[in-house]
Amino acid sequence: MNGVPIARIFGFEIRLHLSWVFIVAVVTVTVAGRLSEFQPEIAPAVSWGVGLVGSLGFMLTVVAHELGHALMARRDGSESQTVVVQFIGSPAAVDVVASSPRADALIALAGPVTSLGIGTALVVIALGVIAAGSWLGPVADVLFIVGALDLILAGVSMIPAFPLDGGRVVRAAAWARSGDARAGTRAAGMVGRLVGGALLVVGLAVIVVNSDPIDGVMIGLVGWFLMASARSVDRWLYLDGLVAGIRVDEAMEPHLQTLSPQLTLDTFAAGILDGSVGPALPVVRDDEVVGIVGATQVRRVAQRDWASTRTEDVMVGPPDLPTTTPDESLTVALDRLRRSHLDGLPVLDGAALRGVLTRRSIAAILHARAEAAAQAL
């Protein structure tokens, strides 16, 4: 699973992406430097403290931003119980499609609206504290900094390009107009490519005109990132076209062996890593699937510890174990597999195990489809 779990809020497991270690450090240093520049009389310890508290406070408000998305998605019927907090945007934004254009737009807007509300409230409170001439100057600094960052986040997230929230708003509008979610996604990718190209041009102009090229470089990097994201939209559309109409039972691996929870890793780990027994094996107790073990779990255990580590110690089980059914659309199951960051999903017909949907088995059927399409040309 991507990210480090830090809390459970409203039934969602909150996971923090590891990039936040870097982000907190950068924001702390930046804020401390700005405070020292604009308030030379402030003690270094105070400026660094304000910077650290401000960066951690901003991180919490980004959690609120993502919870806004998650709560609105839950209202639309989403069963996801995990929120991975990135710095900005979500790599899953392209392939997360709501039940309707209106729902897609509302889910996208929930985050920026949350950030806008938090940012406005914090800035107003900070200005009130400053106007009152209170001795709580550092507190006002923290509130103003976090509020300003949230207002910036609300604005930046509405740039009309994936993986930003504005990209989903564009998709929702195009989807509503065309009646086709894929056409909406394609339109959002085109808009994102244009926005990214425009930012590249602006960044280059800033570098040429401005004696300090840092701002231009940053704008250009954002443009490059958005153009790269637009290319990922094209790849997703191609992949989505390949899996269209395929059911899980056509793509699963039906004959993989099963594991007992009491088995030690030395009896099967090497076979998982080299693929000879399968990239992911289901764990079964009394004919009930209780977990799955894949290469990801095996690699977390040093080989010298395989003989003393049992399957149940490393397996992924409920509630973190998603499953699929034989007649489910491969498009839906593939999205669930990608979100889980597992090497395979158990395929259950009721309580009975029918197979395992793995990245290897999906790649095999996609390769076969691509070859068939090429031969048909």
Side-chain angles (χ1 to χ4, degrees), residues 61-72 75 104-122 147 149-159 164-166 169:
T61 62
V62 177
V63 171
H65 176 111
E66 295 301 330
L67 272 173
H69 290 308
L71 289 170
M72 190 61 70
R75 288 187 59 184
D104 204 23
L106 289 175
I107 293 169
L109 290 171
V113 168
T114 300
S115 293
L116 179 63
I118 293 174
T120 301
L122 292 179
L149 289 173
D150 270 292
L151 293 176
I152 293 171
L153 174 61
V156 171
S157 63
M158 286 305 297
I159 293 175
L164 303 176
D165 299 326
V169 173

Side-chain angles (χ1 to χ4, degrees), residues 81-141:
Q81 298 180 346
T82 303
V83 174
V84 179
V85 182
Q86 311 276 345
F87 172 47
I88 186 170
S90 168
V94 176
D95 49 347
V96 177
V97 180
S99 61
S100 67
R102 181 176 182 274
D104 204 23
L106 289 175
I107 293 169
L109 290 171
V113 168
T114 300
S115 293
L116 179 63
I118 293 174
T120 301
L122 292 179
V123 168
V124 169
I125 294 171
L127 293 176
V129 172
I130 294 172
S134 171
W135 54 272
L136 297 174
V139 174
D141 287 337

Side-chain angles (χ1 to χ4, degrees), residues 158-242:
M158 286 305 297
I159 293 175
F162 286 126
L164 303 176
D165 299 326
R168 290 191 67 172
V169 173
V170 172
R171 174 174 62 193
W175 178 5
R177 182 179 179 83
S178 66
D180 182 358
R182 282 176 54 85
T185 301
R186 186 176 295 106
M190 292 175 59
V191 172
R193 187 178 294 107
L194 292 174
V195 171
L199 288 176
L200 276 175
V201 173
V202 170
L204 180 61
V206 171
I207 292 174
V208 172
V209 174
N210 197 338
S211 58
D212 183 4
I214 298 300
D215 290 340
V217 170
M218 294 303 295
I219 294 172
L221 284 175
V222 171
W224 173 84
F225 169 71
L226 295 180
M227 292 187 71
S229 296
R231 288 193 293 272
S232 74
V233 172
D234 295 335
R235 290 193 294 270
W236 179 83
L237 287 167
Y238 175 73
L239 176 62
D240 188 58
L242 286 178

Side-chain angles (χ1 to χ4, degrees), residues 30 33 37 78 101 156 180 203 223 240 249 300 305 369:
T30 302
E37 180 181 346
S78 171
V156 171
D180 182 358
D240 188 58
D249 57 358
R300 293 173 181 167
D305 297 326
R369 273 214 163 187

